[in-house]
Amino acid sequence: MSAQHDDLVSETEALYTVDELAAATGMTVRTTRYYAGLGLLPPPTRRGRMAYYSVQHRARLDLIRALQDHGFTLAAIEKYLAKVPADATVEDLAVQRAMLTSWKTGGHEVLTRRQLETRAGRKLDDEAILRLASMMSINEVDDGRYEVLPAFEVGVKCLDLPIPLDSMVAAGEAINRHMDELADELTAVLKDRVLTPYLESPKTEDDKARFEQTMSSLRQLTLEAVVGGFQRAANQVISRSLNR
């Protein structure tokens, strides 16, 4: 960096050239410029012929990456960012990005029918595809391409069970309905009682690293608690049935 750039950084805290911004967010300079040209980023600060980007620009790019990981199209990303205030702070953007962090390792995955069969380790006829979709193991995103959902492996194992399709549909609808409600409530708790207080408090780089690890562990523990909670509730239903 030049001495002039070092002075800028000391005065305004972390200003980046487009090359530095791209490197910091793991994007190419071409992609960074493209997003800026689309208006996904606010205009940079100009110093003569040089353009400098702030930590807010970096936070917005990190948010864009999180949206991409969730399978958002560019049009959907533009629509989402249009709702984010232009003066949103780094903390505000960090909260939104943290809420978008996928609970599934491996990120968003879209496969062709043939790739899906390779992943399943078996041939998938139209009925099998319908059953997997009914069990919310896959989601057809367009003609012949499918999003792999977290329950894919479970769905494949269920294909050979002699269960009527309408039963699978009913079970899938019940699971989806209650999981949506549970996810909404747990997300609100996570945001209001964990993320927001953390982001509003003073913190060091070590604190940030520890918190990211904590969030990863919390997600895993939450998933285990959901499974355990269902097992407990199901056993209580059985006990009540036996006592009638």
Side-chain angles (χ1 to χ4, degrees), residues 2-204:
S2 67
Q4 180 185 10
H5 181 250
D6 288 340
D7 291 340
L8 283 170
V9 170
S10 63
E11 292 174 5
T12 58
E13 294 187 2
L15 288 179
Y16 307 87
T17 64
V18 67
D19 298 72
E20 293 164 348
L21 180 64
T25 55
M27 294 187 178
T28 65
V29 173
R30 180 178 180 181
T31 299
T32 303
R33 291 186 188 278
Y34 178 61
Y35 288 160
L38 290 176
L40 300 183
L41 299 177
T45 299
R46 293 284 178 179
R47 297 290 188 272
R49 292 186 300 174
M50 291 295 296
Y52 291 100
Y53 297 85
S54 68
V55 289
Q56 282 81 10
H57 290 97
R58 178 175 177 175
R60 282 182 178 266
L61 278 179
D62 287 337
L63 179 57
I64 290 171
R65 286 183 66 90
L67 290 165
Q68 289 174 327
D69 288 343
H70 271 273
F72 277 54
T73 64
L74 187 57
I77 291 175
E78 289 185 76
K79 185 177 180 180
Y80 183 94
L81 291 179
K83 299 177 183 178
V84 177
D87 59 351
T89 65
V90 172
E91 288 74 18
D92 292 333
L93 295 169
V95 167
Q96 296 201 44
R97 181 174 61 83
M99 299 310 297
L100 284 166
T101 301
S102 179
W103 289 64
K104 175 193 174 186
T105 58
H108 183 75
E109 188 176 14
V110 176
L111 305 178
T112 64
R113 180 77 162 261
R114 179 172 296 181
Q115 290 170 330
L116 199 65
E117 291 178 336
T118 300
R119 178 75 177 272
R122 59 182 291 167
K123 191 73 175 176
L124 299 173
D125 57 20
D126 290 344
E127 182 180 355
I129 291 294
L130 181 59
R131 284 177 174 267
L132 289 173
S134 299
M135 291 182 287
M136 293 162 200
S137 298
I138 60 173
N139 178 45
E140 187 171 8
V141 295
D142 53 37
D143 188 23
R145 297 173 69 245
Y146 304 88
E147 177 187 6
V148 178
L149 300 179
F152 180 73
E153 284 75 17
V154 174
V156 171
K157 291 177 181 178
C158 290
L159 287 177
D160 296 324
L161 297 178
I163 301 174
L165 179 59
D166 60 349
S167 297
M168 290 187 172
V169 172
E173 289 176 347
I175 291 171
N176 195 48
R177 180 172 63 255
H178 292 292
M179 287 300 100
D180 284 351
E181 294 174 356
L182 179 59
D184 283 341
E185 188 169 349
L186 289 177
T187 297
V189 171
L190 182 66
K191 178 180 179 181
D192 298 338
R193 303 192 182 188
V194 180
L195 277 172
T196 299
Y198 165 77
L199 291 169
E200 291 176 348
S201 65
K203 61 191 74 67
T204 65

Side-chain angles (χ1 to χ4, degrees), residues 179-238:
M179 287 300 100
D180 284 351
E181 294 174 356
L182 179 59
D184 283 341
E185 188 169 349
L186 289 177
T187 297
V189 171
L190 182 66
K191 178 180 179 181
D192 298 338
R193 303 192 182 188
V194 180
L195 277 172
T196 299
Y198 165 77
L199 291 169
E200 291 176 348
S201 65
K203 61 191 74 67
T204 65
E205 288 302 316
D206 287 342
D207 291 334
K208 294 177 182 178
R210 281 194 297 270
F211 186 75
E212 289 184 7
Q213 182 59 46
T214 297
M215 289 300 297
S216 177
S217 299
L218 180 60
R219 282 183 164 85
Q220 182 59 40
L221 291 172
T222 300
L223 292 174
E224 293 175 7
V226 169
V227 173
F230 176 78
Q231 291 172 333
R232 174 189 54 78
N235 285 334
Q236 288 178 344
V237 170
I238 294 171

